[in-house]
Amino acid sequence: MASKIDSVMSTSIALDTLKASKGINTLAQAVRASTNAWKAQEAQAKSAGDYLKASESRYKGLSDAIEIQQKKIETIKDKMKDLDQTTQSGAKQWVKYQSDLQNASKQLQSMEAQQKRAGENLRREKSGINDLSAAMKRRNALSEAFVARLESEGKHEQALKEKRENARKSINDTVSALKKEEYLLKSM
């Protein structure tokens, strides 16, 4: 009779461990699926040139993935509390859960750091600073090409005028960008 009870108990423990693993694995798959979804949305928005939407997709996707990761950590902690560590299989399972918990916590910290950077980038996109910076780079590249052409044609005075005009525009754009940056910093 005692042998039968031991057998039933060990089978019950094994089944509970299997269910717990499936729950944790399901949550891990949900984190991966969520991450893959926001990465795909971000890539699609970037390829369409909509950097604001790309930033929003990244930020929201990371928020969703963080929420699932937190549930995964809670699930692991709950399974560790309910585990009988007096048995050999229970002790092995507790060590495995401890390792899973450490890995999940590291992943959560990484996601939170990514989300913080994504939030800063989203604020920059919403403020227009990134668009302004990109426009300045494009204008500078065009101006440099135009100046090079003028100089190769021997029109040095026109080249100097173009350089001066581009410098004036760059200063104005830089001042505008700095004002927007200052506003962002004050709003934090």
Side-chain angles (χ1 to χ4, degrees):
M1 181 75 173
S3 172
K4 187 175 182 179
I5 292 174
D6 287 341
S7 175
V8 169
M9 283 181 59
S10 64
T11 302
S12 174
I13 290 171
L15 289 174
D16 288 344
T17 301
L18 183 62
K19 287 178 189 173
S21 295
K22 284 184 180 178
I24 293 168
N25 289 338
T26 301
L27 288 169
Q29 289 171 350
V31 169
R32 283 191 297 274
S34 176
T35 300
N36 290 338
W38 71 253
K39 284 183 177 181
Q41 290 172 345
E42 178 187 34
Q44 184 179 11
K46 279 184 178 178
S47 69
D50 190 351
Y51 294 100
L52 177 59
K53 186 174 181 182
S55 293
E56 288 171 344
S57 295
R58 182 179 190 91
Y59 186 79
K60 185 180 180 327
L62 280 165
S63 297
D64 294 343
I66 286 170
E67 186 177 322
I68 297 167
Q69 188 72 9
Q70 287 170 336
K71 287 179 186 175
K72 179 181 172 184
I73 289 171
E74 289 172 19
T75 301
I76 294 170
K77 286 179 180 179
D78 289 343
K79 299 304 174 187
M80 288 176 76
K81 279 190 255 177
D82 298 337
L83 203 58
D84 180 15
Q85 296 181 41
T86 60
T87 65
Q88 184 179 5
S89 63
K92 284 182 181 178
Q93 191 61 40
W94 190 88
V95 169
K96 181 187 179 311
Y97 284 154
Q98 183 64 31
S99 174
D100 291 347
L101 181 62
Q102 288 174 346
N103 291 336
S105 296
K106 286 179 188 175
Q107 289 173 338
L108 179 63
Q109 288 175 343
S110 173
M111 286 180 197
E112 288 171 341
Q114 288 178 48
Q115 185 187 36
K116 182 179 178 187
R117 290 189 304 271
E120 292 167 3
N121 191 46
L122 179 59
R123 281 190 292 280
R124 287 179 59 84
E125 284 293 339
K126 284 184 177 180
S127 72
I129 292 172
N130 289 349
D131 288 339
L132 184 58
S133 295
M136 286 172 48
K137 286 178 185 177
R138 284 190 303 271
R139 191 191 60 246
N140 285 339
L142 287 172
S143 179
E144 287 174 13
F146 185 58
V147 166
R149 190 187 100 211
L150 289 173
E151 287 182 349
S152 71
E153 294 174 355
K155 301 177 182 177
H156 300 292
E157 285 184 37
Q158 284 181 322
L160 286 174
K161 286 180 184 177
E162 175 60 27
K163 282 183 180 179
R164 186 180 59 234
E165 184 63 22
N166 187 51
R168 186 186 59 76
K169 288 178 183 177
S170 291
I171 290 170
N172 289 339
D173 287 346
T174 302
V175 168
S176 177
L178 288 173
K179 286 180 183 177
K180 288 180 180 187
E181 287 274 357
E182 182 181 19
Y183 175 76
L184 277 178
L185 289 171
K186 286 181 181 178
S187 67
M188 291 180 145

